[in-house]
Amino acid sequence: MSIINTDIISAANDVFWQDSSTVTNGLEKRPVLVLLGEADRKPELETQLVRMLDACKLQPADYNIIYLAEGQLVSWNHLRTAVDPYVILLFGLVPAQLGVAVMLRFLLPNRFNDTVWVPLPTVEMFAPQPDLKRRMWTEALKPVFEMEKFGSIKCPGNQ
């Protein structure tokens, strides 16, 4: 079924109005949503990711992790309703994959739709680069998680 099919908006965008609950099945509402590409789903990279989240003083009850296949589109509206994040960490993904047409500053926190979006490189890209890792921490993650410039994002039970 084609919902919209024009020269400006193709039928490929219909996915943003379809049920995408398979992506969020079993997930609870948590303040941080970590979105990564399927290429980052390797044991050594997952270990690196967990270390980074630990450095942000996040507990597993504070975040949901979702891996998206290359080119997979998921509705931001569905994600927002299903997991209700306040902070979104986009590792190597672009907002357009979520049906969001917004330009975000890379490696910096961005406010959009009552949420803090942080576009970051893939875990595979930053893992071997200490300078990139340091910049990611000081400019993107530290202001959000340690300095709490955007407010506290912790789950009430984990403070």
Side-chain angles (χ1 to χ4, degrees):
M1 172 175 83
S2 178
I3 297 171
I4 298 175
N5 194 9
T6 68
D7 291 339
I8 298 171
I9 301 173
S10 74
N13 289 317
D14 289 353
V15 70
F16 300 121
W17 286 271
Q18 296 169 353
D19 181 27
S20 52
S21 60
T22 56
V23 175
T24 57
N25 275 350
L27 299 180
E28 299 174 7
K29 293 186 180 211
R30 296 186 176 162
V32 179
L33 176 59
V34 181
L35 294 170
L36 305 103
E38 197 64 43
D40 276 337
R41 186 177 249 168
K42 298 175 187 164
E44 65 275 11
L45 297 177
E46 289 176 340
T47 301
Q48 185 77 18
L49 174 66
V50 169
R51 283 185 189 147
M52 187 205 62
L53 295 172
D54 287 345
C56 294
K57 297 187 176 36
L58 294 172
Q59 301 296 315
D62 294 324
Y63 56 85
N64 285 306
I65 298 176
I66 297 176
Y67 290 91
L68 299 179
E70 186 171 335
Q72 181 180 359
L73 303 176
V74 178
S75 165
W76 159 239
N77 289 324
H78 170 75
L79 290 174
R80 181 181 51 203
T81 301
V83 297
D84 193 28
Y86 178 63
V87 175
I88 299 173
L89 302 179
L90 288 170
F91 285 93
L93 302 176
V94 294
Q97 284 182 259
L98 308 177
V100 175
V102 63
M103 292 187 62
L104 301 175
R105 298 170 301 157
F106 189 66
L107 281 174
L108 292 169
N110 298 264
R111 283 192 188 269
F112 173 74
N113 201 219
D114 297 322
T115 309
V116 179
W117 298 62
V118 186
L120 302 164
T122 64
V123 177
E124 187 170 41
M125 182 183 287
F126 82 75
Q129 298 185 47
D131 289 339
L132 181 59
K133 198 183 301 187
R134 184 174 21 265
R135 182 173 171 218
M136 188 170 67
W137 170 251
T138 58
E139 296 178 25
L141 301 175
K142 184 178 180 181
V144 174
F145 297 106
E146 187 175 289
M147 299 167 72
E148 295 184 337
K149 287 189 172 187
F150 298 88
S152 178
I153 57 93
K154 295 294 231 167
C155 287
N158 294 338
Q159 293 183 354

